[in-house]
Amino acid sequence: MSFPLICQMSIRRISQRAKDEKTRKLLSRIIRVDQAGELGADRIYAGQIAVLGNTPVGPIIQEMKEQEQEHLETFNKLIVEKRVRPTALLPLWNIAGFALGAGTALLGKEGAMACTVAVESVIGEHYNSQIRDLMEDDPEKHKELIKKLSKFRDDELHHHDTGLEHDAEKAPMYDALSQVIKVGCIGAIWLSERI
Amino acid sequence: MCTSTGDRNPPQDTSSGPGGSASSQASNEGYNTQRTGQGAQYTDELNNSEDLVNEVEEEEMPEETEEEYQTKQAVLKASLPFVHQYGWTKKAIVAGAESLGMPPMVHGMFPRGGAELVFYFYEESNKELESYLKQNVKESKEKDEKIKTGPFIHDAIETRLRMIIPYIDKWPQAMAIQTLPQNAVQSWTNLSRVVDDIWFYAGDKSNDFNWYTKRVSLAAVYKSTEIYLIQDRSEDYTDTWNFLENRLEDVVSAGHLARNLQETNTVLSEGAKGFCVMTRNLLGMNNR
């Protein structure tokens, strides 16, 4: 009898209780980090508007900010509905997001757009992996949530493309800037999932 | 307050017990067919994948089965009456197991010893509290009354603490067991469960940092009242319930104080800004 078969037979059957527990943990992790992400994105745009609000690019950023606000409200409702603990780092992301937005906006319109592109690409990938996890767990049960996440992912990718259209790649030190922001976002996501 | 605490089940009923065993039977059959199908799949994967060993190891987590869980619960439940005699110890668990006709070796299922008994009691009391709160909320909805947060919370904490009273002679020992470092995480989780349930059924809708401040303050009230309770000698513990009322008032007044401070801060900063503008005007430094 082959080794894998022996291992398979010795694996104990996971009880229904444990399965429900796993789903609950997955769901709460997803909703928690998404709420934090949308708050962060909203604050980044707020920071950019504080610096670039009166320039021609202001209305575009304002429109993107309003879409992020919509996303944030959805997750705020989900937090209460699904009884999920919000991340304890919310005040930190509040300040850090605004600082990032304002900081990159001070590098000019291209800097702000580069920040947008970097953040939105990380968020787009992140939503995709969440959708995959939900599908793997139970596509029927999570149909509503998967639909919402798909729509939000499309919105974020639209923002990403808008950023590219508005000369993001002309920003000073684009590659370095983009890389640093992406790493920061991934770190923030990792932390918010756990804390 | 971190990691797995604070995320409770969404307000749907997940039934275990009879429902659980039926579903475990169904999945048993599925498991058999799954085995032969997956056997072939695994042979292929062995030829292709290098981290098959990791995969198998991950799946072989020591998850306890439904049967084990039910057995442990039954033994712990039977052990509770022996707490008055033996305290929250392995001896009580052994006595409980023997009363059910099981061999004393069953205590090996409980590596943490007396702590397991404490946690079982705590978790059962939490479940009882949750159903009591659910009932309250349902009744209020039927009578179409709005829940008054203050009295609701007071009533909830009093109910929960009253569940300790039957074991109050040995409760100080239980509290000591809970403060041991190896038990600290579980105790923290249990306490978080209590405050989260109370706030949830009181109608808390916060989704920002207030979520934490509310629960931390309530946990402090609960803990201090629990400590007061075990040394209270008054008739029906009325002193404890007065103590609880005072602590809850403190929390409310702390909230008002925080808000007053914030308003004062705003007024003061506006005043300072105005003073600066006035100074610049006087020195002719303004651009207007």
Side-chain angles (χ1 to χ4, degrees):
Chain A
M1 216 188 267
S2 64
F3 167 66
L5 266 178
I6 297 176
C7 291
Q8 177 80 38
M9 287 196 295
S10 64
I11 292 169
R12 291 148 98 201
R13 201 167 20 91
I14 301 178
S15 65
Q16 185 62 31
R17 233 172 13 98
K19 245 184 268 179
D20 287 339
E21 184 70 16
K22 224 171 97 184
T23 306
R24 189 182 58 80
K25 278 209 171 89
L26 175 68
L27 216 54
S28 59
R29 187 173 267 218
I30 286 179
I31 295 176
R32 179 181 318 129
V33 76
D34 285 346
Q35 188 214 23
E38 295 301 339
L39 176 75
D42 185 63
R43 294 300 292 160
I44 290 175
Y45 286 130
Q48 290 181 344
I49 285 176
V51 176
L52 294 171
N54 294 325
T55 63
V57 83
I60 299 168
I61 304 179
Q62 181 66 32
E63 192 194 316
M64 296 200 282
K65 180 176 188 303
E66 275 161 18
Q67 273 187 324
E68 300 293 354
Q69 235 153 348
E70 251 178 63
H71 296 181
L72 181 61
E73 271 161 34
T74 310
F75 287 118
N76 282 343
K77 279 202 208 86
L78 275 173
I79 289 249
V80 177
E81 213 179 275
K82 304 278 183 198
R83 210 171 153 184
V84 173
R85 169 180 68 85
T87 169
L89 301 170
L90 279 178
L92 177 63
W93 303 143
N94 199 322
I95 300 173
F98 193 88
L100 177 65
T104 50
L106 287 172
L107 294 172
K109 154 194 151 199
E110 293 82 14
M113 289 300 151
C115 171
T116 304
V117 166
V119 171
E120 299 295 4
S121 72
V122 170
I123 290 190
E125 269 174 49
H126 180 61
Y127 272 138
N128 272 334
S129 75
Q130 286 184 340
I131 293 173
R132 269 195 291 272
D133 287 340
L134 285 175
M135 291 250 197
E136 210 180 291
D137 185 64
D138 191 335
E140 272 315 303
K141 195 162 136 198
H142 303 308
K143 199 154 59 158
E144 261 304 314
L145 186 59
I146 290 177
K147 217 165 68 175
K148 283 195 181 119
L149 291 187
S150 305
K151 173 166 185 304
F152 291 172
R153 177 210 50 206
D154 294 337
D155 289 341
E156 306 293 358
L157 289 180
H158 179 67
H159 294 174
H160 175 265
D161 295 337
T162 308
L164 283 176
E165 273 169 36
H166 287 88
D167 307 326
E169 281 158 344
K170 296 205 188 118
M173 305 176 300
Y174 174 73
D175 290 323
L177 187 65
S178 178
Q179 207 46 39
V180 166
I181 294 176
K182 278 189 186 163
V183 167
C185 281
I186 294 174
I189 287 175
W190 190 89
L191 279 173
S192 297
E193 279 181 342
R194 285 154 186 80
I195 305 182
Chain B
M1 206 165 274
C2 56
T3 63
S4 59
T5 68
D7 294 330
R8 297 268 53 89
N9 282 322
Q12 303 147 341
D13 284 331
T14 48
S15 56
S16 54
S21 50
S23 67
S24 63
Q25 201 180 17
S27 51
N28 210 343
E29 293 161 354
Y31 172 69
N32 282 328
T33 50
Q34 198 187 32
R35 218 171 68 193
T36 40
Q38 283 213 355
Q41 182 200 345
Y42 266 17
T43 320
D44 285 337
E45 282 192 20
L46 181 62
N47 298 332
N48 301 338
S49 138
E50 293 164 305
D51 34 8
L52 177 65
V53 175
N54 292 341
E55 246 176 273
V56 167
E57 272 172 15
E58 257 172 58
E59 277 185 45
E60 247 182 295
M61 304 179 290
E63 295 268 3
E64 63 177 12
T65 62
E66 193 63 31
E67 295 84 2
E68 275 177 23
Y69 176 74
Q70 298 292 359
T71 313
K72 282 164 92 164
Q73 297 292 90
V75 170
L76 291 171
K77 185 168 175 186
S79 312
L80 280 179
F82 296 96
V83 164
H84 302 287
Q85 200 177 351
Y86 298 115
W88 306 90
T89 58
K90 257 195 180 123
K91 266 202 176 139
I93 297 180
V94 166
E98 283 176 344
S99 78
L100 285 180
M102 295 195 198
M105 265 69 77
V106 157
H107 77 74
M109 282 177 99
F110 306 101
R112 294 183 294 187
E116 300 262 13
L117 199 48
V118 175
F119 293 144
Y120 170 78
F121 172 71
Y122 210 113
E123 282 161 17
E124 286 300 302
S125 308
N126 285 354
K127 283 187 205 150
E128 210 182 305
L129 176 70
E130 190 175 5
S131 49
Y132 172 80
L133 293 176
K134 251 190 217 162
Q135 185 65 24
N136 261 9
V137 170
K138 208 170 89 169
E139 280 171 8
S140 293
K141 229 178 235 161
E142 281 166 10
K143 288 191 224 155
D144 218 9
E145 277 170 7
K146 198 169 168 308
I147 294 176
K148 291 198 200 68
T149 317
F152 184 89
I153 294 180
H154 180 113
D155 182 47
I157 297 189
E158 187 176 329
T159 311
R160 179 62 182 80
L161 286 174
R162 278 192 187 274
M163 295 180 199
I164 298 177
I165 291 176
Y167 297 92
I168 203 165
D169 51 338
K170 291 280 190 268
W171 194 248
Q173 183 195 16
M175 289 181 77
I177 289 175
Q178 288 183 301
T179 56
L180 291 173
Q182 66 263 34
N183 299 326
V185 175
Q186 182 68 28
S187 328
W188 186 241
T189 310
N190 289 340
L191 179 60
S192 314
R193 173 96 198 241
V194 175
V195 295
D196 188 41
D197 277 345
I198 295 180
W199 268 121
F200 177 71
Y201 288 105
D204 177 40
K205 297 251 181 299
S206 53
N207 49 31
D208 53 5
F209 202 71
N210 284 332
W211 192 96
Y212 287 90
T213 50
K214 280 182 171 163
R215 280 152 182 78
V216 167
S217 55
L218 193 61
V221 167
Y222 178 86
K223 251 318 174 189
S224 55
T225 312
E226 190 184 355
I227 293 174
Y228 192 97
L229 176 67
I230 54 179
Q231 53 79 53
D232 188 7
R233 299 271 172 269
S234 61
E235 181 69 37
D236 193 37
Y237 305 95
T238 37
D239 282 353
T240 307
W241 314 131
N242 290 334
F243 179 87
L244 171 61
E245 190 60 38
N246 291 336
R247 295 288 73 71
L248 287 174
E249 267 173 34
D250 284 346
V251 170
V252 170
S253 68
H256 289 159
L257 179 67
R259 212 171 333 142
N260 281 342
L261 277 176
Q262 210 168 358
E263 283 170 14
T264 311
N265 186 34
T266 315
V267 167
L268 283 178
S269 65
E270 291 292 321
K273 274 190 215 155
F275 187 73
C276 288
V277 171
M278 183 185 79
T279 315
R280 283 173 66 181
N281 280 337
L282 288 174
L283 296 175
M285 281 164 62
N286 253 356
N287 298 338
R288 292 182 195 274

